[in-house]
Amino acid sequence: MKTRLGIFISGGGSNMQSIAKACEQPNFPAQVSLVVSNIPDARGLRFAKQLGLKTVIVDHQSFSTRKDFEQEIQKHLVKAKIELVCLAGFMRILSPFLVEKWQGKMLNIHPSLLPKFRGLNTHKRALEANEKTHGCSVHFVTVGLDEGPVIAQSTIPVLSDDTIQALQARVLIAEHILYPQTIKQLCQ
Ligand code: GAR
């Protein structure tokens, strides 16, 4: 039986697409059963629909509390019989309410070599710190922001003439390889 994935997005959804493409391989041990977006017009939703994936919008702005927002998400995850949640460019901080329900079953991809550069603007900060290497990490989600145990990382060199955009683009390519690989290993 393939593991049923729920993918959370807020934007472009390129990581979601790379996971969905990997899931199309017959021997891949997981399938995308639901895509959740908190942004009603997220670009990734369009791609998800093109790929024939089931999508749901849970707009955080429609809820007066974080718990109400997360309760609605949880309802959709249960209904779709989700077994593993993959945050893929999901830009809302989740509270203990949802994180604790999915302990050990919720992953995130973060564009840095954690524990370096938690939070935002990771590429800019890596350049400013004169890092020689940069990359991305897949980790279990815990209550602390980008603090959960790291499962896998991909390292790339920082080039002497790198710009934020160039570095970001190369890290994203590494993300598209690392995330499906890590899901495969965990689900096997
Ligand atoms: C990715 O680089 C992902 O690592 C990052 O947002 C981008 C989403 O791209 N996530 C975070 O910064 C989470 N803290 P995508 O929507 O094209 O997958």
Side-chain angles (χ1 to χ4, degrees):
M1 286 290 275
K2 293 194 179 218
T3 303
R4 295 176 67 82
L5 305 180
I7 304 184
F8 289 19
I9 63 168
S10 298
S14 68
N15 276 290
M16 173 212 68
Q17 288 183 77
S18 75
I19 296 167
K21 283 267 173 268
C23 287
E24 285 173 3
Q25 295 161 17
N27 62 344
F28 198 84
Q31 66 182 61
V32 182
S33 298
L34 186 65
V35 174
V36 179
S37 174
N38 67 311
I39 304 289
D41 60 354
R43 247 182 325 129
L45 278 174
R46 232 182 306 142
F47 301 127
K49 284 181 187 145
Q50 279 165 11
L51 291 166
L53 303 175
K54 192 173 179 330
T55 62
V56 64
I57 296 165
V58 185
D59 181 356
H60 58 276
Q61 290 184 325
S62 311
F63 298 87
S64 48
T65 68
R66 208 175 271 273
K67 189 172 173 196
D68 289 346
F69 165 62
E70 293 181 5
Q71 239 159 4
E72 179 68 11
I73 293 179
Q74 175 65 8
K75 203 180 80 191
H76 288 287
L77 296 178
V78 170
K79 193 169 158 213
K81 299 189 169 61
I82 298 306
E83 297 167 297
L84 182 68
V85 170
C86 303
L87 308 187
F90 184 70
M91 303 311 273
R92 292 297 291 175
I93 292 174
L94 294 170
S95 79
F97 172 78
L98 199 64
V99 170
E100 282 166 9
K101 284 191 192 316
W102 289 90
Q103 203 182 357
K105 294 176 194 167
M106 184 183 270
L107 313 179
N108 181 40
I109 188 146
H110 182 75
S112 79
L113 295 173
L114 291 172
K116 284 183 178 172
F117 311 120
R118 294 179 173 127
L120 298 175
N121 303 317
T122 57
H123 311 297
K124 180 170 185 277
R125 287 155 62 205
L127 286 178
E128 282 169 0
N130 278 317
E131 294 288 328
K132 296 284 166 275
T133 57
H134 186 43
C136 52
S137 309
V138 176
H139 65 95
F140 285 113
V141 175
T142 55
V143 171
L145 180 67
D146 302 325
E147 279 181 13
V150 171
I151 307 163
Q153 291 186 314
S154 184
T155 302
I156 64 164
V158 177
L159 308 178
S160 55
D161 59 349
D162 250 334
T163 59
I164 296 171
Q165 289 76 14
L167 188 54
Q168 178 176 18
R170 294 204 318 285
V171 170
L172 199 57
I173 291 169
E175 293 184 34
H176 295 163
I177 298 165
L178 185 70
Y179 214 176
Q181 248 175 21
T182 310
I183 292 168
K184 187 175 184 181
Q185 279 162 11
L186 280 176
C187 294
Q188 260 165 354

